[in-house]
Amino acid sequence: MRTLRTRRVATARLTQQILETGPGAGPQDPDETVVFVHGNVSSSAFWQDTLLDLPERYRAIAVDLRGFGGTDPLPVDATRGLRDYADDLAALLDALHVGSAHLVGWSLGGGVVLQQLRDRPSSVRSLTLVNPVSPYGFGGTRGEDGQLNSPDGAGSGGGAANADFVRLLREGDRGDDSPLSPRQVLATCYVKPPLRPAREDELVAAMLTTHVGDDHYPGDSTVCDTWPGVAPGDRGVLNCLAPTHFRLDDLHTLPVLPPVTWIRGEDDIIVSDTSLFDLAHLGALGVVPGWDGTPAQPMLAQTRHALGLYARAGGRVREVVVPGAGHAVHVERPREFGAALLETLSEGART
């Protein structure tokens, strides 16, 4: 029976907390090492059941990104896009003597592992993307090729966060009275209602490990003249994802093209062509005032476009849609998620 271990690992960049199971420290077969990267406002705890469900032969490692869980809360330089996180991941793999591995990234973590692929393609055996952020960032773009709506990235970045959610997160709210409490966001946005996760209290606690502020979540922002009046700053999580700082439009040119599986919940409302977290779509719905007709970001179409280029260049790409699931497919539908993941791990081992 698999057991979980939690420990902090000193690396060349910072000390990172990991959750792991399977064979212990030391060099491992890269075909049997799987590394999991969580999404925004969460931690490695969201991968706990996935790690326990893997076959015994796999060494599974789930990392807390900087500013989440038990990892050092070093400031996030958003001008580097997701490279602070990807460089941290590379440093962790070095410290653990993992030369290459299968990488699995959820939401924000999907962008992190894509950045790892972009910068260090030989370190990736396979890539599994779980409701990932678009390769063209979050907010502020239009069209499948991610054209900026405004040169300053208006509509994206730290100013796009809901102030009440940020306040309740900062206050460590564990209740469900407010629709914007972390618990209610978990229950209505991370998963599709009426599902309530079996480990809900633990997952809420994981969300509350998020460091809040300009250097972390949501980050700073700037005022601009373009609707909706906010543009990205240079610090913190949401600015890392702004299209002015994060864009991966050349993945198909890499010298190594490991297999990629894109797993997504059909009813995800966070990463969607009609995302309820996209100010442009909220403007069209009348939720954000003064909407000027800016189109919603076609997040799914953008990911499909980028992965289509990757496939035409020779990479193997598979899209797995899970009906009735939301943003956290691995939490909501562990059996279907696990089956798709194992197929990808087998495919990556043959590469």
Side-chain angles (χ1 to χ4, degrees):
M1 183 176 181
R2 297 178 75 92
T3 58
L4 294 172
R5 305 180 296 273
T6 300
R7 63 184 173 110
R8 282 167 54 81
V9 179
T11 76
R13 290 175 57 81
L14 76 171
T15 297
Q16 303 178 61
Q17 183 163 293
I18 64 170
L19 188 64
E20 62 181 338
T21 185
Q28 302 291 328
D29 183 343
D31 288 340
E32 297 182 350
T33 302
V34 192
V35 180
F36 297 84
V37 185
H38 64 80
N40 199 6
V41 190
S42 64
S43 79
S44 60
F46 276 75
W47 293 115
Q48 177 175 310
D49 294 335
T50 302
L51 268 60
L52 290 172
D53 287 343
L54 279 177
E56 290 285 349
R57 68 181 181 275
Y58 288 107
R59 180 187 186 189
I61 301 162
V63 60
D64 289 339
L65 297 173
R66 64 167 63 193
F68 300 96
T71 289
D72 290 350
L74 269 62
V76 177
D77 179 0
T79 65
R80 304 186 70 234
L82 291 176
R83 282 196 167 92
D84 270 359
Y85 297 121
D87 289 352
D88 291 348
L89 176 60
L92 175 68
L93 298 182
D94 286 345
L96 296 176
H97 308 289
V98 175
S100 64
H102 303 277
L103 300 184
V104 184
W106 167 46
S107 194
L108 164 70
V112 174
V113 298
L114 281 170
Q115 188 69 63
Q116 175 77 6
L117 172 65
R118 168 63 181 78
D119 295 343
R120 305 168 185 87
S122 63
S123 72
V124 182
R125 304 293 291 181
S126 72
L127 205 64
T128 301
L129 305 172
V130 189
N131 295 84
V133 63
S134 163
Y136 304 112
F138 195 96
T141 64
R142 65 184 184 277
E144 66 176 16
D145 56 350
Q147 303 168 58
L148 282 171
N149 292 330
S150 173
D152 59 7
S156 66
N162 185 287
D164 286 333
F165 173 69
V166 175
R167 175 181 58 81
L168 292 169
L169 191 65
R170 179 185 287 111
E171 293 173 357
D173 187 284
R174 294 173 182 265
D176 57 7
D177 294 336
S178 168
L180 293 168
S181 71
R183 186 178 299 273
Q184 281 295 325
V185 169
L186 170 66
T188 60
C189 301
Y190 284 29
V191 302
K192 182 184 177 182
L195 175 72
R196 300 296 290 245
R199 296 189 300 111
E200 182 173 288
D201 287 346
E202 294 176 49
L203 299 182
V204 171
M207 294 171 72
L208 293 175
T209 66
T210 302
H211 284 257
V212 178
D214 286 350
D215 285 322
H216 297 289
Y217 181 84
D220 63 345
S221 64
T222 58
V223 176
C224 67
D225 294 331
T226 308
W227 184 89
V230 292
D234 293 333
R235 300 152 60 195
V237 181
L238 294 189
N239 295 309
C240 286
L241 299 172
T244 49
H245 299 316
F246 173 68
R247 183 181 179 89
L248 296 176
D249 55 3
D250 61 351
L251 295 171
H252 58 288
T253 68
L254 297 176
V256 179
L257 301 173
V260 176
T261 296
W262 174 22
I263 305 173
R264 63 179 183 87
E266 186 176 42
D267 297 321
D268 185 4
I269 64 171
I270 296 179
V271 176
S272 166
D273 287 350
T274 53
S275 169
L276 294 180
F277 287 65
D278 178 8
L279 294 185
H281 181 58
L282 292 176
L285 295 177
V287 177
V288 178
W291 182 57
D292 64 352
T294 297
Q297 179 187 3
M299 300 177 187
L300 302 182
Q302 290 177 355
T303 297
R304 195 169 291 115
H305 172 72
L307 293 182
L309 294 175
Y310 189 90
R312 286 194 286 277
R316 295 198 294 277
V317 174
R318 184 167 57 113
E319 180 179 349
V320 177
V321 181
V322 182
H327 188 60
V329 178
H330 54 299
V331 174
E332 300 170 82
R333 306 285 279 278
R335 186 169 301 176
E336 288 134 293
F337 171 76
L341 174 60
L342 288 177
E343 185 174 341
T344 304
L345 300 183
S346 297
E347 186 177 13
R350 296 194 298 268
T351 302

